[in-house]
């Protein structure tokens, strides 16, 4: 068997990225075609890795100059995630042909894009912990470079993302050092450390901080909303939606169940479930009051990351299945939602919800695909998001032991997860109303449906959201469970017995209800629309009567204000006030702390000789005391 096949998905996109930089600017669409071809080749090989298990194995490359060993190891899990990453990246590349061109991006975009695909492949296939973390860090640099191609002001957002993700990578390297100390190796497949000592807990927590930062889990999330406001939409679809989620869930599973041994209801399991639940609620709560389309989607991304952590944190087979399936579903519908937002901005040049509206008539494909993704992400049957969330709910229920009373606190996590779905539907209804329903503002340009290069990926992803919901047993039974080594040949019911339902029967009943609703609407709808005058306090405010008053367009209800009154609730308003002050922003708090240290250092460094002599004397005394302590021992 030729294990060098594992090198092809690495070499092809990396080489294609270099070639894109050499192609003259005057030649159009060659870079785009090259990128799509390279990603298609890698996608084909990733399918081969999953279907033909004889291809999987390991190869080792030794860099004798630096005495560093580099090895690749293909596994069913890495092959499955590689398929998801490459096919979705291929759709983003197709979307970028039009979106990137309209954004005025340069040829560097395609080089960074392809190198990101290379880094994704290496991270999923490498069997060396240090190599994994180095490439993980390189992805943060590529994200920073891609953010810089965005809107004016992107430098600050990119810098914040780079510092936060890069800083967490340093902590992960320290954790890797502890793992090497405990296990004597950096080969991932050879590491197995029980969580039974302070050092093992420290290493686990340090690695988790890096993963949580990448995923956008509270409180390491603040780089994501800032980046969403300035980065190109194709970059948002690629990184927070696809790359970060796939790599985050991969490393989370490898660390929790391969490098360490995470058990149900253990201390670390409870910590993961608690952080996941907090992230779900806070992310959804902040998304509720966002008026920028991309920032709303960013906080939604943060909230959905909580479900991934919650499912893996349960640490049972059903929880892991639900977490992995939810990751797959999340990258599907969240990528589509970013595509929809990009299509709206592409046509209107606007992302402020208060300035949008009435686009469903002008952009029907975008509207329909967005509705499907909104239902999916909100956990409404029969779409895919419902199935994965339902599995997570059931995994939480299975950890409760009513007889002994153990695990009763799990109910809190279940409530948070279900409340998160309600809040998700609430803020997406706000988005739908603001963007697609109501009347189109007079100041908004005349819009039309986006290019097929933008709508085609949206249609494909919306279709998958339906298929993976209606026929959920197929991806669960033939893909998700087998790559985890779990046998569910008799269907999902034996391991998920609570509230089992038939997705096909439910779909038929839902379709029957929709058909009946359409019939009733057709026979009872009003065929003429009457426009009335606007009154406030019994007085007409038409400009013809009261020239200083607002006109009818200004008097319409804006979807952007749907939940503004939430901020007036006492406890909630205080939480929003503290959040707005950036109290929970780790980046801002560290920046203030470093600023304080700099002020202290400036006072110490005053240029006076006696000050320096004093510090020199204190240093000598400290050295002497340390030396005496060592001798006395």
């Amino acid at each position: 068997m030729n294990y060098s096949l594992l090198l092809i998905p690495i070499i092809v996109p990396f080489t294609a990225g270099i070639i894109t930089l050499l192609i003259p600017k005057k030649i159009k669409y060659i870079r785009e075609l090259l990128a799509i071809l390279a990603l298609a080749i890698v996608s084909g090989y990733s399918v081969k890795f999953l279907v033909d298990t004889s291809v999987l194995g390991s190869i080792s490359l030794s860099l004798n100059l630096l005495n560093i060993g580099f090895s690749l190891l293909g596994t069913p899990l890495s092959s499955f995630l590689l398929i998801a990453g490459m096919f979705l990246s291929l759709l983003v590349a197709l979307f970028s042909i039009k979106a990137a061109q309209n954004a005025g991006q340069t040829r560097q975009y395609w080089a960074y894009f392809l190198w990101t695909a290379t880094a994704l492949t290496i991270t999923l296939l490498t069997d060396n912990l240090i190599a994994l973390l180095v490439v993980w860090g390189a992805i943060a640099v590529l994200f920073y470079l891609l953010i810089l191609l965005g809107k004016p002001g992107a430098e600050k957002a990119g810098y914040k993302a780079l510092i936060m993700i890069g800083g967490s990578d340093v902590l992960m390297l320290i954790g890797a050092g502890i793992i090497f100390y405990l296990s004597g190796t950096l080969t991932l497949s050879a590491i197995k450390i029980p969580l039974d000592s302070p050092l093992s807990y420290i290493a686990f927590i340090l690695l988790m901080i890096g993963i949580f930062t990448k995923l956008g889990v509270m409180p390491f999330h603040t780089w994501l909303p800032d980046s969403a406001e300035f980065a190109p939409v194709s970059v948002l679809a690629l990184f927070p939606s696809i790359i970060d989620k796939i790599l985050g869930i991969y490393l989370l599973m490898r660390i929790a169940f391969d490098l360490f041994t995470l058990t149900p209801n253990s201390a670390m399991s409870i910590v993961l479930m608690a952080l996941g639940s907090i992230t779900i609620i806070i992310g959804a709560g902040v998304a509720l009051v966002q008026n920028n389309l991309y920032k709303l989607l960013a906080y939604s991304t943060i909230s959905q990351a909580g479900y991934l952590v919650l499912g893996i944190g349960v640490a049972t087979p059903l929880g892991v299945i639900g977490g992995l399936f939810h990751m797959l579903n999340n990258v599907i519908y969240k990528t589509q939602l970013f595509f929809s937002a990009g299509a709206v901005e592409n046509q209107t040049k606007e992302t402020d919800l208060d300035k949008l509206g009435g686009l469903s008539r002008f952009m029907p494909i975008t509207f329909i695909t967005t509705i499907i993704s909104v239902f999916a992400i909100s956990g409404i049957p029969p779409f895919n998001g419902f199935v994965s969330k339902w599995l997570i709910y059931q995994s939480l229920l299975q950890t409760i032991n009513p007889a002994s009373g153990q695990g009763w606190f799990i109910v809190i996590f279940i409530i948070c997860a279900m409340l998160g779905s309600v809040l998700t539907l609430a803020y997406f209804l706000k988005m739908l109303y603001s963007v697609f329903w109501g009347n189109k503002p007079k100041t908004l340009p005349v819009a039309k449906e986006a290019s097929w290069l933008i709508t085609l990926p949206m249609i494909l992803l919306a279709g998958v959201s339906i298929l993976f919901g209606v026929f959920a047993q197929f991806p669960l039974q033939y893909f998700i469970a087998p790559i985890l080594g779990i046998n569910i040949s008799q269907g999902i019911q034996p391991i998920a017995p609570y509230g089992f339902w038939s997705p096909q029967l439910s779909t038929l009943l839902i379709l029957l209800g929709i058909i009946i609703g359409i019939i009733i609407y057709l026979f009872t709808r009003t065929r003429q629309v009457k426009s009335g005058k606007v009154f406030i306090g019994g007085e007409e405010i038409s400009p013809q009567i009261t020239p200083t008053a607002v006109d009818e367009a200004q008097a319409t209800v804006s979807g952007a204000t749907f939940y503004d009154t939430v901020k007036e609730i006492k406890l909630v308003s205080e939480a929003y006030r503290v959040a707005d002050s950036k109290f929970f922003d780790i980046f801002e708090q560290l920046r203030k702390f470093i600023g304080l240290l700099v002020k202290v250092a400036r006072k110490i460094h005053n240029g006076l000789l006696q000050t320096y002599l004093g510090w020199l004397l204190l240093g000598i005394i400290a050295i002497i005391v340390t030396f005496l302590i060592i001798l006395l021992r």
Side-chain angles (χ1 to χ4, degrees):
M1 187 194 56
N2 186 10
Y3 292 135
S4 61
L5 287 176
L6 293 174
L7 287 171
I8 294 177
I10 298 174
I11 295 173
V12 170
F14 180 76
T15 305
I18 295 175
I19 295 174
T20 57
L21 292 175
L22 302 177
I23 297 175
K25 292 183 179 180
K26 295 181 180 179
I27 302 179
K28 294 183 178 181
Y29 298 114
I30 297 299
R31 286 183 292 272
E32 291 82 347
L33 292 175
L34 179 62
I36 290 175
L37 178 62
L39 292 172
I41 292 173
V42 178
S43 299
Y45 272 94
S46 62
V47 173
K48 181 177 178 63
F49 294 161
L50 187 64
V51 174
D52 185 7
T53 56
S54 65
V55 176
L56 300 180
S58 64
I59 60 173
S60 296
L61 304 175
S62 179
L63 305 179
N64 295 323
L65 180 63
L66 300 175
N67 196 25
I68 297 176
F70 176 74
S71 57
L72 297 177
L73 176 64
T75 65
L77 175 61
S78 60
S79 299
F80 172 75
L81 294 176
L82 188 60
I83 291 174
M86 286 302 118
F87 273 102
L88 287 166
S89 297
L90 186 60
L91 292 180
V92 175
L94 188 64
F95 174 87
S96 299
I97 292 177
K98 190 67 177 178
Q101 182 185 20
N102 289 345
Q105 293 168 0
T106 63
R107 57 182 176 176
Q108 280 83 359
Y109 171 84
W110 292 105
Y112 301 154
F113 191 107
L114 289 166
W115 292 341
T116 299
T118 305
L120 171 66
T121 305
I122 295 174
T123 306
L124 292 175
L125 294 180
T126 184
D127 196 33
N128 183 280
L129 181 57
I130 293 297
L132 186 151
L133 296 181
V134 169
V135 178
W136 178 282
I139 291 174
V141 176
L142 289 167
F143 182 43
Y144 166 74
L145 294 173
L146 283 166
I147 290 176
L148 296 183
L149 300 176
K151 303 170 186 176
E155 295 83 1
K156 185 177 179 180
Y159 174 74
K160 183 175 183 177
L162 182 63
I163 293 298
M164 290 192 68
I165 298 175
S168 66
D169 290 344
V170 173
L171 296 179
M172 294 183 78
L173 287 171
I174 297 173
I178 297 174
I179 288 176
F180 180 73
Y181 173 78
L182 294 174
S183 64
T185 181
L186 291 170
T187 302
L188 290 169
S189 57
I191 299 173
K192 195 66 177 181
I193 303 172
L195 280 169
D196 58 0
S197 67
L199 274 180
S200 63
Y201 276 109
I202 292 172
F204 184 85
I205 291 171
L206 290 175
L207 291 171
M208 284 296 144
I209 289 175
I211 296 171
F212 291 160
T213 305
K214 208 86 160 188
L215 282 173
V217 174
M218 301 282 180
F220 312 101
H221 67 286
T222 54
W223 62 271
L224 210 165
D226 291 354
S227 301
E229 197 169 358
F230 297 100
V233 63
S234 54
V235 175
L236 296 175
L238 181 66
F239 274 88
S241 295
I242 301 172
I243 302 296
D244 290 349
K245 295 299 175 289
I246 288 175
L247 293 185
I249 199 75
Y250 171 73
L251 196 52
L252 181 60
M253 291 178 62
R254 291 297 303 268
I255 291 172
F257 304 115
D258 291 341
L259 274 66
F260 296 92
T261 307
L262 185 69
T263 56
N265 287 334
S266 62
M268 286 295 99
S269 170
I270 294 171
V271 168
L272 290 181
M273 289 190 289
L275 281 176
S277 301
I278 291 170
T279 301
I280 290 170
I281 295 298
I282 296 181
V286 179
L288 205 64
V289 296
Q290 296 303 311
N291 289 336
N292 181 283
L293 182 55
Y294 290 135
K295 291 192 74 172
L296 185 149
L297 292 178
Y299 279 107
S300 173
T301 300
I302 293 168
S303 179
Q304 293 302 305
Y307 285 98
L308 310 184
V309 177
L310 181 61
I312 301 301
V314 178
T316 63
L318 184 58
V320 177
I321 288 175
L324 185 58
F325 190 39
H326 192 72
M327 181 281 302
L328 178 62
N329 292 334
N330 185 69
V331 297
I332 290 169
Y333 49 62
K334 185 49 64 65
T335 303
Q336 193 283 324
L337 287 169
F338 273 113
F339 285 170
S340 294
V344 170
E345 185 186 23
N346 180 272
Q347 291 299 308
T348 64
K349 313 303 178 187
E350 187 60 68
T351 59
D352 189 342
L353 295 181
D354 201 31
K355 299 178 181 178
L356 291 166
L359 295 180
S360 60
R361 293 169 294 170
F362 307 98
M363 306 178 70
I365 296 176
T366 303
F367 171 62
I368 293 171
T369 54
T370 302
I371 284 269
I372 292 171
S373 295
V374 165
F375 286 168
I377 197 173
S378 302
I380 295 176
F383 301 98
N384 56 348
F386 169 79
V387 181
S388 53
K389 286 184 178 181
W390 191 247
L391 293 176
I392 294 173
Y393 300 158
Q394 294 202 62
S395 69
L396 290 167
L397 284 170
Q398 286 184 346
T399 60
I400 301 175
N401 190 341
S404 62
Q406 293 181 345
W408 60 268
F409 55 88
I410 299 295
V411 174
I412 299 173
F413 302 146
I414 297 174
I415 293 172
C416 288
M418 298 183 73
L419 178 59
S421 288
V422 174
L423 292 175
T424 300
L425 181 60
Y427 63 71
F428 271 117
L429 284 176
K430 164 184 171 176
M431 187 203 78
L432 288 171
Y433 182 89
S434 301
V435 177
F436 296 105
W437 295 331
N439 295 320
K440 188 174 79 70
K442 296 178 181 178
T443 56
L444 199 66
V446 176
K448 62 179 181 179
E449 191 57 82
S451 166
W452 70 269
L453 291 170
I454 294 177
T455 56
L456 178 60
M458 293 160 52
I459 294 171
L460 293 175
L461 292 173
V464 174
S465 291
I466 296 173
L467 291 175
F468 279 10
V470 178
F471 304 102
Q473 69 272 21
F474 290 104
L476 288 171
Q477 189 169 341
Y478 297 108
F479 293 101
I480 305 294
I483 65 175
L484 297 175
I486 300 172
N487 183 14
I488 55 171
S489 57
Q490 297 179 349
I492 197 70
Q493 187 171 5
I495 64 171
Y498 306 118
F500 181 76
W501 66 296
S502 171
Q504 288 84 11
L505 178 60
S506 301
T507 303
L508 289 175
L509 293 174
I510 291 170
L511 288 175
L512 179 62
I514 292 174
I515 292 171
I516 293 173
I518 291 174
I519 292 173
I520 294 173
Y521 166 76
L522 291 175
F523 280 98
T524 61
R525 64 174 177 168
T526 302
R527 300 185 179 277
Q528 293 183 351
V529 178
K530 182 180 180 181
S531 178
K533 297 178 180 180
V534 180
F535 293 84
I536 294 181
E539 297 292 333
E540 184 178 351
I541 61 170
S542 173
Q544 289 78 13
I545 299 176
T546 313
T548 58
V550 295
D551 59 17
E552 293 182 17
Q554 292 174 305
T556 57
V557 177
S558 171
T561 61
F562 270 12
Y563 308 112
D564 284 356
T565 53
V566 171
K567 287 188 172 183
E568 298 176 7
I569 303 173
K570 287 186 177 180
L571 292 177
V572 178
S573 64
E574 184 63 20
Y576 277 117
R577 186 192 65 78
V578 174
D580 289 340
S581 67
K582 297 191 175 181
F583 178 80
F584 299 110
D585 192 330
I586 292 178
F587 177 82
E588 291 298 327
Q589 298 305 322
L590 285 176
R591 187 176 64 83
K592 291 178 181 178
F593 177 71
I594 293 172
L596 180 62
L597 292 179
V598 170
K599 288 182 180 179
V600 174
R602 284 177 178 175
K603 290 183 178 180
I604 295 173
H605 190 76
N606 55 15
L608 298 177
L609 179 61
Q610 56 267 33
T611 303
Y612 300 147
L613 289 175
W615 285 110
L616 180 63
L617 179 61
L618 288 175
I620 293 172
I621 293 172
I623 293 172
I624 293 172
V625 170
T626 305
F627 183 71
L628 289 174
I629 292 173
I630 294 173
L631 287 178
L632 290 174
R633 284 183 177 181

